Amino acid sequence: MTLFAGGLSLIDTVPTVLIEHSSNIGNQFHSKSSNTRTKGSSTKNKKVSVTVPVASKENGKFDVDFIVAGFAKCGTSTLLYSFDENPETNFPPHETCLKRKKTLKEGVNDALHRFKDTFSQSEKEGHDYMKRGVKCPVAIEQIWSMFIYEIMNPGTKVIIGVRHPVLFFQSYYNYRVVSHVRGKKKYKGKSIPDPYSLKDRHRGWRGVHKNLAKFDKYLMQLGKVNLTDSENMELESLGLKQTHSKLPIFFYEIGQLEDEDELRSDVFREDMQHFLGLKEPIPPFAHRNAVANKGEFDGQINICEPKFDDLRKTIIGYGEEARHWIGGKFINSDDVFIGGDKAHFLTLLSSWGDDPCIHEDGQRRLFV
C-alpha cells in the first residue's frame, strides 16, 4: 500500500534514528515460533543497534503522545470515555492495539498506518488537539508493543491502572462471559471454561487466566527497577522478559478513579492533567464500560461463593507478593508517578493481601 505520490510507503517518508536497546527486546519482534536459543548462547547484557523509522508531528502527526496501557478491567474504559470527550485530546472511542509482526520494521510500519487511519480524520476536520492518545489494555502483556511506541515517539507517556487481583479476575472473567453470551453466533458451540482451568496464558480463555493477576511480574518487564536473579528466573518461567523502557508512567489503583473524597479526587485528576501536559482540568470520571456487565448471564461467577475459596486464596497470594514489590520497589522509580494522595494509594494497595469476600469480623460477604 502506498500513501504518497511517487510510490513511497509511509515508512519511507520518515527519518531514521539509531536506537540501542538490549537484544531481548528486539527478539520479541520475531515470530512466535522463534523462541529457541542456540545451546550455550546468551543475550544477557548484550546490546544491538537497530535502525528504525521514527514518527514526529512534522512528519504527518501520526505519533501517540500517551497510551492507556492496562490493565484490563482496571478503569481503562473510564479513561477512554473521559479522553474521548476531552476537547484537548484526540482519543478514539475504541481500543487501538498494535499487531505483532515478524520484524521491527514491519511492526513500526503497521503502527504508522494504523495511527494514520486513527487520527487523520480529525486532522482533516481541522481540530487542533494538544495530545493524541490511545487505549490498549493488553499493552503491558504485549511488551513488544511498548518498544514500538517508544521508537515512534520517545516522549510517549504511559498510564497504567491496577486493582485488587481477586476483583480483577472476577471482573475480567465475567466481562468475557457477557461478550460470549451476546456473541451467540461467533461463539456457537463453544463452552465457557471453568475458572479453575485458566491457569496461565497457554491455558487461558480469551486473555483471562489467573497468572495475569500477577501484576508485579508484568510490570517488571518495563525495566523500571533492577531485578534480582530470582525475579528474572520467575519472569522467564512465565514466558516474560524484562525490557528497559524509558517511558514515564502514571500509575494508579482503580480506587483512586472511584474516590468519593472530592478533594483527593481533584488532586488526583490535577496530577494526571499535569502529567499529560493538558491546559484544562480533567472533569470528574464517570464509571462506564464499553461492554457493561449489566444483568445476569449464565456462566458469570460470584467469586465469593465457597466453591471459589481455593481460587481466591491462590490469587490473594499473588496480590500479597505484588503489593510488596509495587509499594517497595516499583513506585520508587524516577519514571513512575503516583497521582493524588500517595498514602491513599498505599492504603488501597495494602488491601490486596486481604480476602475481599471476608468482613473484618470474619463473616463472609455475599458478593463484591
Side-chain angles (χ1 to χ4, degrees):
M1 177 180 179
T2 58
L3 300 176
F4 298 92
L8 293 176
S9 69
L10 184 58
I11 204 167
D12 293 320
T13 67
V14 295
T16 59
V17 64
L18 194 64
I19 303 290
E20 187 179 71
H21 276 273
S22 58
S23 59
N24 64 353
I25 304 176
N27 288 340
Q28 297 192 44
F29 291 90
H30 295 300
S31 62
K32 295 180 181 179
S33 61
S34 61
N35 292 326
T36 58
R37 182 183 297 173
T38 304
K39 186 176 181 180
S41 67
S42 174
T43 59
K44 189 174 181 179
N45 298 324
K46 197 174 181 180
K47 298 290 184 178
V48 292
S49 294
V50 184
T51 302
V52 294
V54 176
S56 68
K57 286 182 168 62
E58 291 72 25
N59 286 289
K61 302 181 180 179
F62 305 132
D63 55 322
V64 173
D65 294 300
F66 69 99
I67 172 175
V68 177
F71 287 84
K73 310 311 299 172
C74 293
T76 58
S77 291
T78 295
L79 294 178
L80 179 150
Y81 285 110
S82 177
F83 291 130
D84 177 43
E85 296 172 353
N86 192 312
E88 292 187 81
T89 56
N90 184 350
F91 201 98
H94 52 74
E95 293 182 6
T96 307
C97 295
L98 304 181
K99 291 184 178 180
R100 188 170 186 172
K101 299 296 180 180
K102 290 184 177 180
T103 68
L104 180 58
K105 182 175 180 179
E106 289 180 50
V108 176
N109 193 37
D110 179 73
L112 288 169
H113 282 285
R114 188 175 298 272
F115 296 143
K116 177 183 182 296
D117 292 340
T118 298
F119 297 126
S120 60
Q121 184 60 42
S122 56
E123 297 295 338
K124 288 179 182 177
E125 295 172 356
H127 294 174
D128 185 20
Y129 294 102
M130 280 193 64
K131 304 293 179 181
R132 297 175 183 83
V134 295
K135 167 195 169 182
C136 180
V138 296
I140 306 303
E141 301 168 59
Q142 301 172 347
I143 197 64
W144 51 267
S145 66
M146 301 303 293
F147 186 43
I148 290 183
Y149 284 109
E150 186 166 0
I151 289 171
M152 293 178 64
N153 179 11
T156 301
K157 296 180 178 180
V158 183
I159 298 177
I160 300 175
V162 291
R163 71 190 298 184
H164 193 297
V166 169
L167 305 183
F168 160 75
F169 182 87
Q170 174 182 252
S171 181
Y172 203 5
Y173 182 88
N174 286 342
Y175 172 82
R176 289 305 189 198
V177 169
V178 172
S179 61
H180 182 96
V181 173
R182 288 178 173 174
K184 293 180 180 179
K185 293 182 179 180
K186 184 176 181 180
Y187 302 110
K188 186 177 181 180
K190 297 180 180 179
S191 60
I192 297 172
D194 185 320
Y196 276 101
S197 70
L198 308 179
K199 299 180 182 300
D200 53 45
R201 63 194 183 108
H202 300 295
R203 292 171 288 182
W205 176 52
R206 299 178 61 200
V208 183
H209 57 87
K210 66 180 183 180
N211 273 358
L212 190 55
K214 296 182 177 183
F215 293 132
D216 53 324
K217 306 307 184 290
Y218 285 89
L219 294 170
M220 286 178 188
Q221 295 184 102
L222 295 168
K224 296 304 182 184
V225 297
N226 293 327
L227 301 183
T228 64
D229 289 341
S230 61
E231 288 170 339
N232 275 310
M233 288 177 64
E234 184 163 8
L235 280 191
E236 186 172 348
S237 72
L238 294 172
L240 307 177
K241 292 182 178 181
Q242 186 183 34
T243 67
H244 296 282
S245 169
K246 295 181 180 179
L247 302 182
I249 295 171
F250 185 95
F251 193 64
Y252 69 88
E253 214 275 354
I254 195 172
Q256 293 178 281
L257 295 185
E258 304 167 343
D259 193 0
E260 296 181 355
D261 185 305
E262 292 186 10
L263 179 58
R264 274 199 316 239
S265 181
D266 288 346
V267 174
F268 174 79
R269 286 181 284 104
E270 183 178 333
D271 286 348
M272 182 178 288
Q273 171 198 340
H274 294 318
F275 176 80
L276 295 175
L278 302 178
K279 293 181 179 179
E280 299 297 326
I282 297 174
F285 300 114
H287 180 69
R288 288 176 292 187
N289 192 288
V291 183
N293 297 343
K294 294 181 179 179
E296 295 184 3
F297 296 82
D298 290 340
Q300 284 186 308
I301 64 171
N302 173 4
I303 205 162
C304 287
E305 292 182 8
K307 64 181 178 180
F308 296 122
D309 284 355
D310 288 341
L311 179 62
R312 286 201 320 278
K313 183 177 180 180
T314 297
I315 297 178
I316 289 169
Y318 298 162
E320 184 72 13
E321 287 188 26
R323 76 179 183 92
H324 283 295
W325 185 84
I326 291 172
K329 295 183 70 173
F330 184 67
I331 64 173
N332 294 326
S333 167
D334 290 339
D335 289 340
V336 178
F337 303 88
I338 303 299
D341 187 332
K342 186 175 180 180
H344 179 226
F345 169 85
L346 291 173
T347 298
L348 294 168
L349 193 67
S350 68
S351 71
W352 290 14
D354 301 328
D355 188 338
C357 296
I358 304 298
H359 286 286
E360 291 182 1
D361 61 5
Q363 296 298 310
R364 182 185 296 270
R365 288 187 170 93
L366 296 178
F367 56 85
V368 289

